[in-house]
Amino acid sequence: MPGNLTLTLCLTHNCNLRCRYCYAGRKYAHAMSQKTAERALDIALAEAQQTNRNLDISFFGGEPLLEWPLLQHCCYWIQQKAEGSGTRIRFGITTNGTLLTQEKLDWMAGRDFLVGLSIDGSADMHNTNRCFPGGRGSHKQVADALELIADTPRLRSKVICVVNPANCIHLRSGVLWLHGHYRGPIGLNFDYWSEWSDEHFATLSQQLELVARDVTNSYRIGHPMQLECLEGKIISHLRSQGENCLRCHIGEREIAVSVDGNFFPCSRMVGDGDDPAISFGNVHSGIDRARQNYIIATRGNATPECKLCVLRHRCLNTCGCTNYAATGHINRVSPFLCNLQQRLIQLADDMAETLYREQNPAFMQRFYGTAE
Ligand code: SF4
Ligand code: SF4
């Protein structure tokens, strides 16, 4: 079976937070209609079945939990449509956590949801950017949500921590706080929309070095920190066989639908939901195949400097949404991305070399499937 198709539904433009780095467009009370959601789901199911793929449905916003009845309706709808077809459906959500309840988590756990909680670490780090309207930080509410998630049996989850120039000074303490409160995977989403000055990058680089040291020590004490941005680089070293193992599938295996039903190549490119430069049709008029094929043909990396780079198979240079955020082109990398990727690969390799030399049991088990 080829890889899954992921459909992301942006259920609403609205959000009860006003994060300072938000890329999800203007905030106002406008939700996806039930009809639009049903059409999007039907189209995605047909696409998945035509290409013999399973289907992942992901809920996004704004804050998708503001549209909880619609979200539930989408799950019932697609499960009923896919029943008996052999297409496996999985669900996921990205949420700011402030509206989570035990009841909602139990409902999602019963449907094998992957819950991605946006929390930027410790209060200092989180409250720098993640605020309610008026500027009050949301850390207390989101930390409570993290506790609920950690205590919910059988729930698949991860935390997502956004790192930008304003909060990167707190990165080490933020990540340590997360590791102290949560056992699952920690994703760092670097803010490619922002300008990173040399000073900010130097701060980030120093903080990442401290974080890498903490991750190394977490293996030594037998309580490994699952920091995805370093783990991914180790895995890319082990698996890279001359082919980019971080390939981006925007527009093909990755599609997103805006509140008004417009198709986009990736959830991170939806924004206000009305950018004609990167949308390709609407759920009511159908997918614009010419536009979709153009996006698929254009994605990848056309930056000449990368062609001969020895790190190109381990670097995020082909990620279309990241490139678009930073350069306005899905196939052009930014200097920040290049510098950051080199730094992450260097830190991950140093860490892996050390732990391999020590034959650290937790490291050997995690990356080589053996504690020998
Ligand atoms: S919670 Fe998400 S959608 Fe809401 S303001 Fe923050 S980043 Fe934007
Ligand atoms: S972005 Fe930088 S590190 Fe990545 S492939 Fe291009 S030159 Fe190499």
Side-chain angles (χ1 to χ4, degrees), residues 8-19 21-32 58-68 71 92-99 116-118 130 160 256-260 267-273:
T8 301
L9 293 178
C10 296
L11 295 186
T12 177
H13 279 291
N14 215 351
C15 187
N16 57 339
L17 295 190
R18 293 292 182 275
C19 302
Y21 49 52
C22 183
Y23 60 79
R26 288 172 299 125
K27 304 288 169 281
Y28 57 103
H30 180 39
M32 184 177 276
S58 183
F59 298 103
F60 202 69
E63 172 49 46
L65 291 182
L66 285 169
E67 296 300 325
W68 179 245
L71 182 156
I93 184 171
T94 303
T95 174
N96 67 32
T98 54
L99 303 171
L117 177 72
S118 295
R130 299 193 70 84
I160 303 150
V257 173
S258 72
V259 169
D260 292 320
S267 58
R268 299 211 296 171
M269 296 165 99
V270 175
D272 282 325

Side-chain angles (χ1 to χ4, degrees), residues 301 305-306 309-312 315-317 333-334 337-339 341-342:
N301 180 11
E305 295 78 15
C306 299
C309 175
V310 291
L311 302 179
R312 68 188 182 284
C315 158
L316 215 58
N317 65 85
V333 302
S334 65
L337 179 132
C338 182
N339 291 335
Q341 294 298 305
Q342 292 190 35

Side-chain angles (χ1 to χ4, degrees), residues 339-358:
N339 291 335
L340 176 61
Q341 294 298 305
Q342 292 190 35
R343 186 69 172 132
L344 289 172
I345 290 169
Q346 175 200 25
L347 291 170
D349 287 357
D350 288 351
M351 184 182 114
E353 209 177 299
T354 303
L355 292 170
Y356 187 86
R357 200 172 46 241
E358 294 173 7

Side-chain angles (χ1 to χ4, degrees), residues 85-107:
S85 68
T87 307
R88 197 182 70 174
I89 308 292
R90 288 193 315 188
F91 299 111
I93 184 171
T94 303
T95 174
N96 67 32
T98 54
L99 303 171
L100 273 176
T101 60
Q102 190 61 61
E103 198 185 348
K104 289 187 176 98
L105 284 172
D106 290 341
W107 190 89

